[in-house]
Amino acid sequence: MAPQHTPALPVLGSRKPSHRERVADALRAALIAGELRPGEVYSAPGLAARFGVSATPVREAMLDLAKEGLVDTVPNKGFRVTAVSEKQLDEYTHVRALIEIPTTAGLAVTADPVALEALRPVAREIVDSAAAGDLIAYVEADLRFHLGLLALAGNDHLVDVVRDLRRRSRLYGLTALVEQGRLEASAEEHLEILDALLARDEDAVRAVMTRHLGHVRGLWAAP
């Protein structure tokens, strides 16, 4: 399912992202969702046509992704998506669980209910994207939701660490979930997390987050 335009990305924080940053976000999401496959070489003009933008911001965005280690440059050809090993996926998921589960659970005690409710439209966007089978929109909304939650803990460095780990993850099993009609059910967990937080039920938040992250290394990361 190739998108015909760069998906609109709601702004986190006060600074509006540049066009180059928006393109980079969409490319990262395509990479995470497995729509850009490891080992494959993609040209900037080819990706530009796919995303309905000019080649220049795509080339610049891919250079940003190369600096992050997500792609390698291939002279005179384009960019090759780097592979992620089973060991790396295990390590990323383990570190994410150590950070995200207790931090999110702790928000059941500390988070402002108004701030939590402000994330409900993003949670619904995740469900809608799942229902539509739009994996790129799904990954982008999922990232915004979880980083938005973590930001409520007030630790910017923690958010940066999780953002980097999520960008390096791969969710190749998302396509299979769409084909099986199961992605929407998984997406509903984001609403479940919000409801548990608003109910101030720390144990319930911890349980849902543990189940939710378990999908990443289980079915979602399946090749």
Side-chain angles (χ1 to χ4, degrees):
M1 290 165 291
Q4 299 304 311
H5 58 84
T6 305
L9 305 177
V11 180
L12 287 178
S14 59
R15 187 179 67 83
K16 184 177 180 180
S18 68
H19 185 53
R20 168 178 175 169
E21 290 170 329
R22 287 176 176 267
V23 172
D25 285 340
L27 289 170
R28 285 190 193 93
L31 189 151
I32 292 168
E35 295 199 11
L36 300 181
R37 303 295 294 184
E40 295 290 327
V41 176
Y42 298 90
S43 68
L47 289 171
R50 176 173 175 173
F51 281 80
V53 297
S54 65
T56 297
V58 171
R59 187 175 292 106
E60 292 173 342
M62 291 299 277
L63 288 173
D64 290 340
L65 268 59
K67 292 176 183 177
E68 297 170 15
L70 303 181
V71 299
D72 294 322
T73 57
V74 181
N76 303 317
K77 291 187 177 181
F79 303 87
R80 179 183 291 111
V81 176
T82 57
V84 180
S85 70
E86 295 288 309
K87 183 175 185 294
Q88 287 172 312
L89 282 171
D90 283 337
E91 291 173 348
Y92 297 161
T93 306
H94 180 61
V95 175
R96 282 179 54 187
L98 290 174
I99 296 174
E100 292 188 61
I101 293 173
T103 302
T104 304
L107 294 174
V109 177
T110 63
D112 179 0
V114 174
L116 291 171
E117 277 294 350
L119 287 168
R120 192 171 294 276
V122 185
R124 294 195 182 282
E125 183 180 346
I126 297 170
V127 176
D128 291 343
S129 298
D134 189 339
L135 299 186
I136 291 179
Y138 179 94
V139 169
E140 288 177 335
D142 178 74
L143 180 67
R144 293 199 313 274
F145 177 84
H146 287 287
L147 294 186
L149 274 182
L150 294 174
L152 298 180
N155 188 328
D156 292 340
H157 182 65
L158 180 150
V159 175
D160 288 340
V161 169
V162 173
R163 178 186 290 110
D164 182 66
L165 289 169
R166 282 179 169 267
R167 286 175 174 175
R168 294 178 183 278
S169 298
R170 299 292 184 270
L171 304 177
Y172 301 141
L174 287 177
T175 299
L177 283 182
V178 170
E179 293 171 350
Q180 297 163 11
R182 299 171 58 191
L183 184 57
E184 193 171 354
S186 296
E188 293 279 357
E189 290 178 339
H190 297 85
L191 293 168
E192 193 177 346
I193 291 167
L194 272 186
D195 290 341
L197 285 168
L198 288 163
R200 300 303 190 190
D201 191 336
E202 190 171 355
D203 290 338
V205 176
R206 189 179 301 274
V208 179
M209 279 297 298
T210 300
R211 172 170 23 106
H212 189 62
L213 285 181
H215 295 159
V216 174
R217 191 58 194 98
L219 182 59
W220 289 11

